[in-house]
Each structure stands twice: as structure tokens, then as C-alpha cells.
Amino acid sequence: MAHPHLPTTEAVVTAIREIAREFHLEMTVTDDIGADQTSRRTSSGVFAVLDPDGSLPHEAYVELGGSPSISVRVFPEDDATITVDGIEFADVPRDAVPAFLRSVRGGLAHVKGRFFPPGWWLIVPLPGDETYKELITGSTLTPWMSSRVR
């Protein structure tokens, strides 16, 4: 299933605001605007604000309240990193961020254990047979993760 296109970082932040309202969550946003401020711009000059193509890169860091703890870092390169209770999902496409958050907050995300190789996985299914899985590092699950074990 194709996700609605979110062409800018601000469009993603607006979509996250709608989800925060829908689930009655507190939300904080930190914006980094300019090539000298964004985290992936290691080669930009000291006072270079624009990219070589003349665009103004915009990166945002969003924290959502409630359980589980969720943070989203949206990058200008059309992807995001979403952290759920300390588990980082890197390279999530920008357009999939709202569906990902709805899946976590809506109760579709779950934890699955394996005997061999031993470990726990946090699984976030999205509409259209798209699934994100990350290994849960550490020896204990958070209370939210424990309540989602299948």
C-alpha cells in the first residue's frame, strides 16, 4: 500500500501533530534548519546555510509523551529514525512515519521471542504487508514491551 506523500520535513511534523492529537499525546519538536545545523551535513562550510543546489535543509526531532516512549528524527534526505522504548528503527521512509506511529500507538506493534538464535524482536507491521523488525538488545524488556509479547 502506498503511503501519502510527505514532501517536506514540515509535512511530516504536521502529520505527527495530527497523530498526537488523535491519541491525546504531549509532543515536543526541535527544528534544525540550514546546512550548518543538520546532523548529516559533515562537509558543509562553517557559515554555509544552503546546500550546493540552493535548498535550505530542514531536520526535526519530535518526542511523543506516553508509553511507549517514542522519538522521531526526520532528515532532509526523505527518511527518518524512529526510536520506540530505546529500540531504534533507522531508515524509515518519510512517507511511512505516520503509519508507523499509528501502528505502535494503535496496538499493532508486538514483541516476538525466539529460542534459536535466542532473542527478542520488536515488530511493527504497517498496512500493505510492510513490516519493520529490530532486535531488542539487553537482557530485559520494558514494561510496555512485556505487555506486547506474543
Side-chain angles (χ1 to χ4, degrees):
M1 177 179 165
H3 303 289
H5 180 59
L6 301 170
T8 64
T9 299
E10 192 58 36
V12 178
V13 172
T14 300
I16 295 172
R17 280 187 208 284
E18 291 173 17
I19 292 168
R21 266 189 241 111
E22 179 183 331
F23 289 99
H24 307 291
L25 302 172
E26 290 184 26
M27 177 177 154
T28 58
V29 179
T30 305
D31 293 293
D32 295 320
I33 300 174
D36 59 337
Q37 298 294 314
T38 56
S39 63
R40 292 185 178 171
R41 308 296 178 158
T42 57
S43 63
S44 54
V46 179
F47 296 106
V49 176
L50 301 175
D51 277 345
D53 66 356
S55 65
L56 187 65
H58 178 193
E59 180 175 300
Y61 179 76
V62 180
E63 289 181 302
L64 296 171
S67 179
S69 64
I70 300 174
S71 64
V72 182
R73 181 170 294 279
V74 184
F75 299 104
E77 292 85 10
D78 294 336
D79 69 325
T81 297
I82 303 174
T83 306
V84 179
D85 260 2
I87 306 302
E88 188 175 282
F89 292 83
D91 301 323
V92 176
R94 177 188 290 179
D95 296 343
V97 169
F100 189 102
L101 296 177
R102 278 196 174 89
S103 181
V104 171
R105 295 302 305 176
L108 295 176
H110 59 277
V111 174
K112 191 167 198 153
R114 294 182 68 172
F115 290 112
F116 190 79
W120 296 98
W121 294 84
L122 179 56
I123 302 169
V124 182
L126 303 186
D129 291 335
E130 188 177 354
T131 303
Y132 291 90
K133 294 190 323 185
E134 285 296 329
L135 179 65
I136 299 171
T137 57
S139 59
T140 60
L141 299 176
T142 66
W144 178 82
M145 288 183 205
S146 293
S147 71
R148 301 294 186 267
V149 171
R150 288 191 183 172

